[in-house]
Amino acid sequence: MLLDSFGRQAVDLRVSLTDRCNLRCTYCMPEEGLSWLAKPELLTDEEIVRLVGIAVRDLGVREVRFTGGEPMLRPGLVGIVAACAALEPRPELSLTTNGIGLGRTAAALREAGLDRVNVSLDTLDPETFHTLTRRRRLQDVLDGLAAAEEAGLAPVKLNAVLMRGVNDHEAPDLLAWCLERGYELRFIEQMPLDAQHGWDRSAMITAEEILERLGTRFTLTPEPSARRGAAPAERWVVDGGAGRVGVIASVTRPFCRACDRTRLTADGQVRNCLFATEESDLRAALRSGADDAELSALWRAAMWGKKAGAGIDNPEFHQPDRPMSAIGG
């Protein structure tokens, strides 16, 4: 098992497949992009599958989510999914994506064994989409969502970040649109993971503000807290019906005490917390001939040192040097 000194067990593995992305979201990276990892620094497809296999077989991981950067840019994505779906015991497999490549790949991913997708979409307005992402690709994302649903990658979940003065007024419209289509919407407080370190706590749209905006159109009833478990999203029943909306208050109401995640970066580093300032290198050990038992021991040691909390709710919080695209969301 992957235990830490506070008794938490990591059963949810986030695997970054690349640090590259085909959008330039203002809250993630600068317009010119970043200095991408060189190919020799990235784990190979076979190395990724081997490490995921160790996590599932020897360390108790039950859920694997592929992230980036934008994981759809990884040429071997479908093969990686298929190999991980063949593991025993079989983990639940999901993908976090901007949705641009889903239109042409959703069916193949489903056939390979992917269970569901989380798609990032912050606006339904083409001009606002361009403002936020610096690309005119909204229709590609909408087509990708439709393809994911058609392929059976259900439930289709959407993640949205609200930016003050840009798209924060769209919260009710986004929820209405998702309810109409049966998508599950989750709003996420903007987190300090941008490469340019431009995050401003005072400018962030908080969970309370999100709920206030939604409350102008909908009646929200909290789900029983017992149903949340280790999930980061607090969920609300919408208008007493079957619809739900989630809010992830990563900054104002962090959920560190229930965290069950471990993270593997695209260059083979274990991060025991999204906001960690230290990493443990599995790639070097793997490439120097370490066997599975040795790699498992290194991974366990990395998780044992996990801190009680990220400290993100503390004004003295120090933002990690590595941006989101390198860490994997």
Side-chain angles (χ1 to χ4, degrees):
M1 293 191 295
L2 286 173
L3 294 172
D4 65 36
S5 61
F6 298 94
R8 295 167 297 193
Q9 181 184 354
V11 297
D12 183 338
L13 170 61
R14 305 298 170 99
V15 182
S16 175
L17 298 181
T18 179
D19 60 330
R20 296 173 183 265
C21 189
N22 43 12
L23 296 181
R24 296 291 181 270
C25 296
T26 56
Y27 52 78
C28 185
M29 68 174 67
E31 186 171 6
E32 64 274 14
L34 300 170
S35 297
W36 310 120
L37 292 166
K39 188 173 181 179
E41 297 179 61
L42 296 172
L43 292 175
T44 66
D45 294 0
E46 293 75 16
E47 289 171 337
I48 290 170
V49 173
R50 181 182 173 192
L51 291 175
V52 172
I54 290 171
V56 170
R57 183 182 61 251
D58 301 332
L59 298 175
V61 164
R62 299 192 294 266
E63 301 175 31
V64 178
R65 180 179 299 184
F66 300 108
T67 71
E70 173 44 53
M72 300 288 289
L73 296 181
R74 178 89 184 202
L77 173 60
V78 173
I80 291 171
V81 169
C84 291
L87 293 171
E88 292 290 344
R90 186 197 188 283
E92 178 183 329
L93 300 175
S94 60
L95 177 79
T96 294
T97 173
N98 60 30
I100 288 176
L102 272 177
R104 62 178 182 276
T105 316
L109 287 169
R110 180 63 177 146
E111 185 176 351
L114 191 70
D115 295 304
R116 61 178 182 81
V117 292
N118 286 56
V119 179
S120 300
L121 180 62
D122 304 321
T123 178
L124 298 171
D125 180 78
E127 291 307 314
T128 304
F129 186 90
H130 180 250
T131 297
L132 283 169
T133 68
R134 303 185 179 100
R135 299 289 187 271
R136 296 193 180 277
R137 305 294 298 273
L138 176 59
Q139 190 58 52
D140 292 324
V141 179
L142 300 181
D143 293 344
L145 285 166
E149 183 178 22
E150 183 177 353
L153 293 169
V156 175
K157 296 185 177 181
L158 266 68
N159 297 334
V161 175
L162 298 181
M163 304 291 288
R164 195 175 301 280
V166 181
N167 66 332
D168 52 319
H169 63 287
E170 288 191 63
D173 290 337
L174 272 168
L175 178 53
W177 187 82
C178 287
L179 290 171
E180 203 174 284
R181 289 157 179 79
Y183 300 152
E184 293 188 14
L185 176 62
R186 301 186 303 177
F187 291 98
I188 306 175
E189 287 182 338
Q190 183 197 1
M191 292 183 285
L193 291 165
D194 58 305
Q196 57 271 43
H197 285 210
W199 180 77
D200 182 354
R201 185 185 301 268
S202 64
M204 180 190 69
I205 301 291
T206 67
E208 289 303 321
E209 290 178 278
I210 293 168
L211 292 171
E212 287 175 10
R213 283 160 171 75
L214 296 177
T216 62
R217 192 183 306 181
F218 303 98
T219 299
L220 303 180
T221 306
E223 273 195 339
S225 58
R227 295 190 60 182
R228 181 180 179 186
E234 298 175 78
R235 300 211 312 169
W236 278 261
V237 178
V238 182
D239 290 341
R244 300 290 188 273
V245 63
V247 178
I248 300 178
S250 308
V251 178
T252 60
R253 295 199 293 271
F255 39 88
C256 299
R257 282 185 292 182
C259 182
D260 65 350
R261 296 179 182 178
T262 183
R263 298 175 184 275
L264 184 64
T265 67
D267 54 350
Q269 311 299 305
V270 170
R271 293 183 67 89
N272 58 29
C273 173
L274 182 62
F275 299 103
T277 55
E278 297 177 348
E279 298 175 335
S280 300
D281 189 357
L282 289 188
R283 184 190 64 193
L286 187 155
R287 292 182 178 177
S288 64
D291 62 22
D292 288 1
E294 291 171 310
L295 292 169
S296 293
L298 288 171
W299 207 327
R300 287 192 184 97
M303 293 307 297
W304 186 255
K306 186 173 182 172
K307 296 179 180 179
I312 193 171
D313 52 339
N314 187 328
E316 302 302 317
F317 170 78
H318 175 67
Q319 183 172 344
D321 290 330
R322 295 194 90 180
M324 174 70 82
S325 63
I327 295 170

